[in-house]
């Protein structure tokens, strides 16, 4: 639904630009888009929040609860979509854009490169969601550094984009969503991978961390680029307004 809304709006906007039709231009106003995105995000966040509450109540009523991760199964979804709700409803902080926008942009680009390169190597692109088994086990390239480069790349893209835009509340929600995704979905994916590839994947897990070196490399890139271009020596954009 979210993808279709985006496709419909941007197609309509392109059509209004190409045709110059006033009626289409009025419909394709950016306010219409942000309103639709806010409503959709609110609906999704509420939906997954209710599913989480239902599952949590059901698990807590049992005499012997199952894995505690079952209590958090839908919590990451609810927080993920809440991040978009906050993105469209909470005004951005200009001071964050002035001084942290560059760092957010670097994280965003890093996330895109990490996601696309790993997707091309493994032959499957997955934008979060439920675990998906690749057609083949890849242990080179980005997969030689982190076990889940697509997951890390997708979250860094979203968090970096939010931080670059000054959406601090949305960035915090996405970060918490990543933490919950890490403890709920990732273990299930690794169990499926282990059942499919056996001892080979177990040795791979012992050798390559899930995410740690991906964060370390990002930190090094951030430090080098921020030192090289010295963004703090530049007059903040807000000074010109």
């Amino acid at each position: 639904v979210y993808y279709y809304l985006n496709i419909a709006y941007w197609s309509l906007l392109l059509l209004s630009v190409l045709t110059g039709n006033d009626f289409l231009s009025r419909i394709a106003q950016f306010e219409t888009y942000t309103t639709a995105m806010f409503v959709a995000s609110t609906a999704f966040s509420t939906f997954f929040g209710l599913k989480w509450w239902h599952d949590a109540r059901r698990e807590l009523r049992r005499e012997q609860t199952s894995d505690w991760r079952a209590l958090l199964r839908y919590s990451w979804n609810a927080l993920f979509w809440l991040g978009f709700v906050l993105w469209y409803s909470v005004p951005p902080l200009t001071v964050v854009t002035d001084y942290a926008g560059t760092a957010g942009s670097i994280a965003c680009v890093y996330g895109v490169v990490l996601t696309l390169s790993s997707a091309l190597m493994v032959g499957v692109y997955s934008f979060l969601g439920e675990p998906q088994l690749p057609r083949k086990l890849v242990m080179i390239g980005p997969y030689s550094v982190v076990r889940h480069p697509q997951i890390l790349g997708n979250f860094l893209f979203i968090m970096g984009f939010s931080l670059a835009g000054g959406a601090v509340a949305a960035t915090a929600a996405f970060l918490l969503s990543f933490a919950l995704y890490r403890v709920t979905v990732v273990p299930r994916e690794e169990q499926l991978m282990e059942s499919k590839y056996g001892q080979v994947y177990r040795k791979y897990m012992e050798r390559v961390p899930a995410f740690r070196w991906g964060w370390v490399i990002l930190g090094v890139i951030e430090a080098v680029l921020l030192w090289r271009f010295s963004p703090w020596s530049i007059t903040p954009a807000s000074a010109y307004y």
Side-chain angles (χ1 to χ4, degrees):
V1 173
Y2 211 75
Y3 290 141
Y4 290 152
L5 284 173
N6 275 277
I7 291 172
Y9 171 78
W10 294 109
S11 300
L12 188 63
L13 180 63
L14 179 61
L15 187 62
S16 68
V17 171
L18 294 176
T19 62
N21 187 284
D22 292 337
F23 177 72
L24 292 179
S25 299
R26 287 195 297 271
I27 297 177
Q29 290 180 358
F30 191 67
E31 290 77 7
T32 305
Y33 172 76
T34 55
T35 301
M37 293 298 98
F38 172 78
V39 171
S41 301
T42 302
F44 295 146
S45 182
T46 303
F47 172 75
F48 285 112
L50 291 174
K51 287 181 76 69
W52 167 77
W53 178 244
H54 176 267
D55 272 14
R57 290 181 62 187
R58 183 180 59 188
E59 289 291 329
L60 292 174
R61 283 175 182 167
R62 294 179 178 177
E63 294 183 3
Q64 183 176 1
T65 59
S66 57
D67 188 350
W68 61 271
R69 293 182 180 89
L71 298 174
L72 303 174
R73 182 181 177 188
Y74 294 105
S75 57
W76 82 266
N77 305 80
L79 270 174
F80 181 78
W81 291 109
L82 178 61
F84 286 102
V85 173
L86 296 172
W87 171 272
Y88 291 110
S89 60
V90 178
L93 296 178
T94 307
V95 67
V96 173
T97 306
D98 290 337
Y99 294 104
T102 304
S105 300
I106 294 171
C108 183
V109 174
Y110 174 79
V112 171
V113 172
L114 191 61
T115 299
L116 293 181
S117 61
S118 56
L120 289 173
M121 294 196 69
V122 79
V124 175
Y125 172 71
S126 175
F127 187 76
L128 308 178
E130 291 301 308
Q132 293 187 17
L133 292 181
R135 302 187 191 96
K136 56 184 178 180
L137 180 60
V138 177
M139 296 182 287
I140 59 175
Y143 287 93
S144 65
V145 181
V146 290
R147 295 199 300 269
H148 308 282
Q150 285 197 54
I151 295 173
L152 181 61
N154 282 321
F155 270 109
L156 284 176
F157 163 69
I158 295 171
M159 288 187 288
F161 189 80
S162 300
L163 186 62
V168 179
T171 304
F174 291 135
L175 185 59
L176 288 174
S177 177
F178 170 76
L180 290 170
Y181 192 93
R182 171 68 181 89
V183 299
T184 55
V185 180
V186 172
R188 297 207 308 273
E189 179 177 313
E190 292 183 338
Q191 288 174 0
L192 293 174
M193 293 289 288
E194 190 174 351
S195 64
K196 182 176 181 179
Y197 295 106
Q199 186 65 22
V200 176
Y201 191 75
R202 283 192 290 272
K203 291 182 178 179
Y204 172 69
M205 290 178 64
E206 294 173 358
R207 187 175 70 255
V208 179
F211 298 105
R212 184 174 64 250
W213 287 116
W215 287 103
V216 171
I217 293 173
L218 173 61
V220 172
I221 293 174
E222 292 273 9
V224 171
L225 292 180
L226 292 177
W227 171 79
R228 174 65 180 82
F229 294 104
S230 302
W232 295 286
S233 65
I234 303 174
T235 305
S238 58
Y240 297 101
Y241 296 103

